[in-house]
Amino acid sequence: MQPVTFDAASRTWLLRTPATSYVLRLDAGDVPVHLHWGPVLTLEQAAALPSGTRQSSSFDGTGALDELVTEAGARFHTPSLQIVFPGGVRGVDWRFKAHESDGGHLVLRFGDAHEPLELELHYRVHDDSDVIERWTRLVCRVPVTLLRCDSAAWSVPMRDGYRLSHVTGDWSAEHGLHRTELAAGETTLTSRRGLTSHAANPWVMLDAGDATERHGEVWSGALAWSGSWRITVTRDAAGRAGWTGGFGHEGLSWRLEPGEEWVTPVFAGLYSAHGHGGASRTWHDYVSRHVLPEPGELRPVVYNAWEAVGFDVGEANQKELAALAAQVGAELFVMDDAWFGGRTSDRAGLGDWWPNPDRFPGGLAPLIDEVHRHGMRFGLWVEPEMVNPDSDLYRAHPDWVLHQPGRPRTELRHQLVLDLSRPEVAYWAQEWLNRLVSEHEIDFLKWDCNRAFTEVADDRAWIGHVRAVYAILDRLRADHPHLRVEACAGGGGRTDLGILARTDQVWTSDNTDAFDRIAIQHGFSQLYPARVMAAWVTDSPNPLTRRRTPLAFRFHVAMAGALGIGGDLLRWSPEELDQAAALVAVHKDIRPVVQLGVQHRLPYGMQYAHEDRVVVLAWRGPVRHGTPEPRLRLEGLDPLGRYTDEDSGVLHHGAVLMSAGLPLDLPADDYASALVRLRREA
Ligand code: GLA
């Protein structure tokens, strides 16, 4: 299969992935227009695609679907690129220069008929994934202002209707999935907070309203960016739909110096013919193959005492908890907030990254040694982008924070944001992080970011800050290849393909209530794989929601990701500690299936398949009397295969598991759950 082919006569490019094709063409005015995104086509078929333009009146646009919508000519879709040249001239009068392809990477180079602009559209396809990556690069030899510079515009084929899937949320309520008819007009999904945000996540899925979890065509896109972003989904009067998206929110502008290069993040897109479940599985596979830094690794079982002790961290309580964490089978002990500077509450100390001398009189070494003696690795919480005004750092460098001269500095959680787009601030962060990891045996950092950005004086900082975070993480990992990192922003406020390229997992949510987590994890799973989804078992009643749930239920829900324990083990009974140890052992047994396997969402659970094993996690919330239990019909098995239940020895047939379902007979209790391990007979 040739990943990129070109038909010179019609000036048509065909991109091929294993199961899909993407086609674009230059129109008579050199504008790259979109023709096809869907099932596989040959080059001959692609060249024969009608251009499909139609202008119904002098008030209408050209009818073309542009690969990047600029403000030139009769083109009225949401602009992807708004560029202002000297004198106020706007829009791109496209002039095609050249195309190059190297393996699956296609670059189309354009100029402008009047201005010294170089504009490139990049496409990259892989031979092992149907995900297509796109981004934009531009350079101009005169100063320009960018009012918007999206990574790509994506168009979907004409259908009778469209349904939009996306997530919204809040702190402790991330990834709430919505599936609604796509409104006529424009729908904007965005973050204006400097972070990916809890409120929305930068991905989108469209279907014709007929896709199900198992069947139907779904078009989707995900932006690899961890700061402010915007995706505008359009459904126009002619019945067409698509979206344009990129970094930055509305109202920002970036002035580029002559010769300065501007490169957008990747906006990846996927066409799947196998329903929302099929789309999710392809995204999971893509994240594993092409995004994560260490895709083959299993995530260690974490113990973290944040919910147990809060800000009351000390050498003695951490050592006590470490002993119990080791007893239940934790492999990585993470010390959370309040180990440093004068940090005894959220009011002080952020920025002063040395061990608190009252709490750790001998430094961190005695605790780290003890953790190692228990056979666990050691990790630390850090929040490098933030400062409390009550800190030595802020007293020394009050100008290092995002602020607007003469305006109040809005404090959120009593903290301000360090402007990492300034080289001296980024240097400071890189230097102390490097020193911290070099001087101690630290295997893991939980990199937190606990507030939204305000008072950004320079629009470039919205981009520069995120790039600096990426550069610091990349450098830190390169200098310390053993180091693993968890991305966190008050729970799941920084979950995206950009941060996942330099972290190993994300803290999914500060809400650890297992029942609430089912919905959060459901939304998370639409794009992101189980192996990056950190999930803790904590206390009952849950400290946030006061809900009481059985220990097994809490474990079964958390085992659907990267299991951790975050409860106050000092208050767990010996029986609970024994049960926890047994469940952690089960988790370690099924971990390769969950974290490396193929995931199918079931009506009230998850199925994972890896090599010859299948694991089903089933969970149910409060039960209303008389509600029938939905059948757990398994998916993707070999119909002729025989599958043995590893615990009961019962034999099941693949065809029966997929048609009649897996009999579970959950007790009628609220919060019942089950775990089934099946092995396929050779
Ligand atoms: C954030 C994180 C929590 C914890 C606290 C510490 O809220 O999401 O897990 O680390 O910060 O202050």
Side-chain angles (χ1 to χ4, degrees):
M1 174 184 87
Q2 282 261 76
V4 180
T5 47
F6 177 59
D7 177 68
S10 61
R11 303 206 296 174
T12 303
W13 287 269
L14 168 66
L15 301 176
R16 281 286 313 271
T17 71
T20 76
S21 289
Y22 188 98
V23 182
L24 64 141
R25 179 179 294 163
L26 295 184
D27 75 2
D30 276 4
V31 182
V33 296
H34 177 77
L35 291 184
H36 171 85
W37 186 18
V40 168
L41 295 183
T42 64
L43 185 59
E44 189 186 344
Q45 292 164 337
L49 283 166
S51 290
T53 54
R54 183 184 60 92
Q55 214 159 1
S56 56
S57 76
S58 59
F59 302 96
D60 203 5
T62 62
L65 298 165
D66 296 354
E67 289 287 284
L68 200 72
V69 186
T70 70
E71 298 174 291
R75 314 192 98 90
F76 304 116
H77 278 124
T78 318
S80 316
L81 176 64
Q82 292 182 288
I83 184 167
V84 186
F85 295 102
V89 175
R90 294 166 75 132
V92 177
D93 191 353
W94 299 82
R95 285 296 174 270
F96 179 63
K97 298 269 192 241
H99 64 124
E100 284 162 28
S101 60
D102 178 9
H105 182 188
L106 169 69
V107 190
L108 304 185
R109 295 188 205 289
F110 297 89
D112 178 89
H114 320 278
E115 301 286 351
L117 175 71
E118 288 171 34
L119 176 59
E120 294 172 1
L121 304 188
H122 290 253
Y123 299 80
R124 186 163 52 210
V125 290
H126 303 279
D127 59 9
D128 58 2
S129 175
D130 287 327
V131 171
I132 301 171
E133 296 164 343
R134 295 181 53 192
W135 68 99
T136 298
R137 173 184 174 273
L138 65 80
V139 177
C140 196
R141 276 184 283 109
V142 293
V144 292
T145 300
L146 298 176
L147 303 175
R148 180 163 183 157
C149 185
D150 281 354
S151 302
W154 296 90
S155 304
V156 309
M158 198 79 150
R159 291 292 181 266
D160 294 338
Y162 300 97
R163 184 170 48 175
L164 171 67
S165 302
H166 67 115
V167 290
T168 62
D170 207 341
W171 173 78
S172 278
E174 297 85 342
H175 303 293
L177 179 64
H178 302 270
R179 282 218 163 102
T180 52
E181 186 185 347
L182 176 62
E186 297 180 8
T187 304
T188 296
L189 313 175
T190 190
S191 161
R192 304 184 183 96
R193 298 165 205 242
L195 293 166
T196 325
S197 105
H198 305 76
N201 199 264
W203 64 259
V204 60
M205 292 193 189
L206 285 187
D207 72 280
D210 55 2
T212 65
E213 185 65 16
R214 294 175 179 220
H215 303 289
E217 295 184 290
V218 178
W219 292 263
S220 51
L223 183 70
W225 186 247
S226 312
S228 287
W229 55 272
R230 179 173 39 169
I231 299 173
T232 308
V233 191
T234 300
R235 177 177 185 171
D236 72 10
R240 296 166 301 196
W243 61 86
T244 181
F247 57 10
H249 51 270
E250 84 291 345
L252 302 183
S253 65
W254 304 296
R255 191 177 158 78
L256 302 195
E257 297 304 322
E260 189 180 344
E261 181 181 60
W262 196 251
V263 184
T264 71
V266 163
F267 200 159
L270 166 70
Y271 163 75
S272 168
H274 305 289
H276 293 108
S280 296
R281 282 188 288 284
T282 304
W283 280 111
H284 299 167
D285 185 64
Y286 165 74
V287 170
S288 308
R289 290 175 191 272
H290 299 290
V291 179
L292 290 177
E294 301 287 346
E297 278 184 10
L298 298 174
R299 306 275 31 101
V301 177
V302 167
Y303 179 77
N304 180 312
W306 167 248
E307 282 196 17
V309 302
F311 290 97
D312 292 329
V313 170
E315 190 175 312
N317 69 17
Q318 296 294 293
K319 281 182 170 172
E320 261 184 303
L321 285 161
L324 291 172
Q327 184 186 321
V328 298
E331 298 160 313
L332 170 66
F333 182 88
V334 179
M335 179 154 66
D336 212 277
D337 200 346
W339 58 269
F340 53 91
R343 181 84 165 168
T344 52
S345 74
D346 62 7
R347 293 181 169 270
L350 275 178
D352 297 342
W353 296 104
W354 51 85
N356 178 318
D358 301 328
R359 297 179 162 199
F360 297 92
L364 297 180
L367 173 63
I368 297 178
D369 290 346
E370 176 97 347
V371 166
H372 287 162
R373 263 198 298 283
H374 287 300
M376 295 184 291
R377 286 183 263 165
F378 182 78
L380 261 190
W381 179 94
V382 292
E383 195 176 0
E385 300 157 73
M386 299 289 163
V387 65
N388 285 120
D390 185 0
S391 66
D392 289 356
L393 181 74
Y394 189 72
R395 284 182 280 274
H397 298 288
D399 59 320
W400 275 14
V401 297
L402 294 174
H403 68 284
Q404 294 184 335
R407 295 284 177 110
R409 300 177 175 199
T410 302
E411 289 182 27
L412 296 169
R413 211 190 191 212
H414 313 289
Q415 61 196 58
L416 297 166
V417 184
L418 291 167
D419 181 359
L420 291 185
S421 71
R422 292 174 56 173
E424 68 277 28
V425 188
Y427 176 82
W428 163 86
Q430 186 89 56
E431 202 271 332
W432 73 257
L433 281 160
N434 182 50
R435 191 158 19 88
L436 182 73
V437 177
S438 305
E439 288 176 2
H440 300 92
E441 291 180 67
I442 291 172
D443 297 303
F444 181 93
L445 292 177
K446 174 176 174 182
W447 179 302
D448 211 338
C449 183
N450 271 312
R451 60 158 289 177
F453 296 14
T454 57
E455 288 99 31
V456 181
D458 175 357
D459 283 358
R460 279 170 167 259
W462 294 99
I463 307 298
H465 181 98
V466 179
R467 290 212 170 114
V469 168
Y470 288 173
I472 292 167
L473 279 166
D474 291 346
R475 173 80 188 275
L476 199 60
R477 292 190 76 121
D479 290 347
H480 305 280
H482 71 284
L483 186 71
R484 299 293 174 263
V485 184
E486 176 173 84
C488 175
R494 203 184 246 163
T495 306
D496 58 80
L497 299 181
I499 205 70
L500 283 172
R502 56 259 312 159
T503 55
D504 303 282
Q505 59 193 58
V506 294
W507 179 224
T508 312
S509 178
D510 277 340
N511 184 343
T512 60
D513 177 317
F515 182 62
D516 283 4
R517 268 293 177 112
I518 292 172
I520 294 171
Q521 295 182 177
H522 181 73
F524 186 97
S525 76
Q526 302 296 316
L527 237 290
Y528 307 109
R531 74 181 74 180
V532 306
M533 185 180 77
W536 300 346
V537 173
T538 57
D539 296 336
S540 177
N542 182 274
L544 180 75
T545 65
R546 309 310 300 161
R547 195 194 314 270
R548 289 178 193 277
T549 53
L551 191 62
F553 179 81
R554 280 173 271 151
F555 263 97
H556 288 155
V557 173
M559 282 180 187
L563 176 73
I565 297 170
D568 185 355
L569 297 180
L570 294 168
R571 292 195 295 125
W572 288 21
S573 69
E575 294 73 32
E576 283 174 318
L577 291 172
D578 286 349
Q579 193 188 354
L583 286 160
V584 169
V586 172
H587 166 75
K588 288 176 183 169
D589 172 60
I590 64 166
R591 174 165 54 180
V593 187
V594 172
Q595 295 186 7
L596 304 180
V598 175
Q599 181 175 342
H600 290 261
R601 289 183 290 261
L602 301 178
Y604 58 104
M606 281 286 184
Q607 173 198 323
Y608 310 84
H610 181 56
E611 296 172 350
D612 62 344
R613 297 184 79 196
V614 176
V615 167
V616 175
L617 291 166
W619 45 68
R620 214 182 40 198
V623 187
R624 206 157 359 123
H625 177 75
T627 312
E629 195 171 289
R631 307 297 302 188
L632 275 191
R633 289 194 295 125
L634 305 195
E635 295 182 23
L637 306 184
D638 173 4
L640 299 177
R642 291 156 177 269
Y643 295 83
T644 308
D645 185 315
E646 294 179 22
D647 297 287
S648 68
V650 170
L651 181 80
H652 298 279
H653 294 275
V656 177
L657 289 171
M658 291 194 289
S659 56
L662 176 70
L664 277 182
D665 295 329
L666 288 179
D669 308 350
D670 290 349
Y671 308 112
S673 64
L675 183 158
V676 178
R677 304 180 257 198
L678 303 173
R679 191 180 291 273
R680 193 186 155 180
E681 284 184 9

